[in-house]
Amino acid sequence: WNSFRVIGILKHGAKVEAGDSVIQLDPSAIQKYIIEREGDLENQLATLEKMMVDQTNRRNDLESRMKTEVATYVLRKLELEAARFESERIRKVRELEFKQATIAFERAKRQLELNDIRERSSIRIQEIRVARLREDVKTAYEILPQLTIRTPISGIFQIAYNRRTREMVKIGDELYQNSPIGSVPDLTWMKVKTTVNELDFIRLQEGQ
C-alpha cells in the first residue's frame, strides 16, 4: 500500500506518555485485501485438495493398467517359451504377440513414470500458490496494528505539515509513503535560539 487516509489524530501540542496512540490510519483497504486474499486462499486450497484426489484416482487407474500389462507380458512370454516346439507359423504369431505385449508394458511403465513427474510438479506449483497467499494474508494481518501509531516516548505531540497542502495534517488527508505525520520531541534536552539585550549579556551565566 502506497497511501493511507488519516481517520484520527491527536490534538497539536497535546501531552503524551510513551505508548499513547497519536494517529490512526484507515484500515479498510487492508481489511478488504484480507477478505479477498482469504477467499483466494480457500479456493486454492480446494483446488489443491481436488488435484490430490484426481491424481490419486489417475495413479490408481495407471497402476491398474500397469498390472494388466504386466500380466499380459508374463503370459505372452510363457506362451512364447511354450511355442518352441510348435510350427514356425505359430512361433511367429507368439513372437509378434510377445513383442506387442512388451511395447504395451513399456508404454504403461513410461506413462506411470511421466505421470508421477507431472503430478509432483503440478502439486508443487499449487503448493507455492497457497504458500504465497498465506504469506500475503499473514503480512496484511501484521500491518493492521501498525496503523495505530503510538509514541515511543513521552512529550508533546507535534503535527507535521502535509507536503501537498502545506497545512497541518488533518483527518481525511491521504498520506503517502515517507510522508511525515507528526513527532514527539524529546524534552529531556532542548535547544533554543533566541536573542539577549547587550546590556543583559554580561549577567548571563551557565546554569541559569
Side-chain angles (χ1 to χ4, degrees), residues 167-181:
E167 297 177 353
M168 281 188 177
V169 172
K170 61 184 181 299
I171 292 177
D173 282 1
E174 192 84 11
L175 299 176
Y176 295 87
Q177 285 187 359
N178 303 319
S179 297
I181 305 177

Side-chain angles (χ1 to χ4, degrees), residues 4-203:
F4 286 99
R5 187 166 59 90
V6 178
I7 60 173
I9 190 165
L10 204 61
K11 185 178 178 181
H12 182 72
K15 185 178 180 181
V16 294
E17 300 294 332
D20 287 352
S21 59
V22 293
I23 299 160
Q24 179 63 51
L25 301 177
D26 187 3
S28 59
I30 294 182
Q31 290 168 342
K32 179 183 177 185
Y33 177 86
I34 288 173
I35 292 172
E36 291 172 351
R37 283 295 180 273
E38 285 180 336
D40 292 342
L41 179 58
E42 288 181 7
N43 290 335
Q44 293 302 329
L45 283 170
T47 299
L48 177 60
E49 185 176 353
K50 183 177 182 300
M51 285 176 63
M52 294 177 74
V53 171
D54 290 344
Q55 288 185 7
T56 299
N57 292 336
R58 189 158 46 246
R59 180 171 180 80
N60 289 339
D61 290 342
L62 289 173
E63 287 178 345
S64 177
R65 189 182 307 169
M66 180 69 177
K67 290 178 182 178
T68 301
E69 297 300 343
V70 168
T72 302
Y73 172 82
V74 172
L75 178 62
R76 295 293 181 245
K77 186 176 182 181
L78 291 174
E79 288 176 347
L80 178 63
E81 292 174 352
R84 286 179 298 174
F85 304 106
E86 299 288 344
S87 64
E88 183 178 353
R89 184 179 64 82
I90 293 177
R91 286 200 306 273
K92 286 288 185 183
V93 171
R94 297 291 180 261
E95 286 175 359
L96 288 174
E97 290 175 343
F98 177 68
K99 186 175 181 180
Q100 289 175 339
T102 301
I103 293 172
F105 167 70
E106 292 295 338
R107 182 170 58 246
K109 181 180 177 182
R110 184 59 178 164
Q111 285 178 341
L112 190 58
E113 292 172 349
L114 290 175
N115 182 71
D116 287 345
I117 295 171
R118 183 172 57 250
E119 292 189 346
R120 280 197 300 269
S121 177
S122 298
I123 289 292
R124 179 58 183 154
I125 291 171
Q126 188 62 22
E127 287 175 341
I128 290 172
R129 289 196 187 103
V130 169
R132 284 178 177 170
L133 285 170
R134 278 181 173 151
E135 186 61 29
D136 287 347
V137 171
K138 177 175 175 288
T139 300
Y141 272 114
E142 289 173 349
I143 289 175
L144 278 177
Q146 298 177 36
L147 300 184
T148 301
I149 300 175
R150 302 179 182 277
T151 171
I153 62 173
S154 301
I156 305 298
F157 176 60
Q158 305 288 302
I159 299 178
Y161 280 86
N162 189 323
R163 291 173 178 173
R164 292 189 301 163
T165 64
R166 297 186 180 179
E167 297 177 353
M168 281 188 177
V169 172
K170 61 184 181 299
I171 292 177
D173 282 1
E174 192 84 11
L175 299 176
Y176 295 87
Q177 285 187 359
N178 303 319
S179 297
I181 305 177
S183 63
V184 178
D186 184 355
L187 302 182
T188 306
W189 297 91
M190 297 185 70
K191 182 177 181 180
V192 180
K193 182 181 290 187
T194 185
T195 58
V196 180
N197 189 292
E198 62 182 12
L199 297 179
D200 296 327
F201 176 73
I202 59 174
R203 298 164 59 189

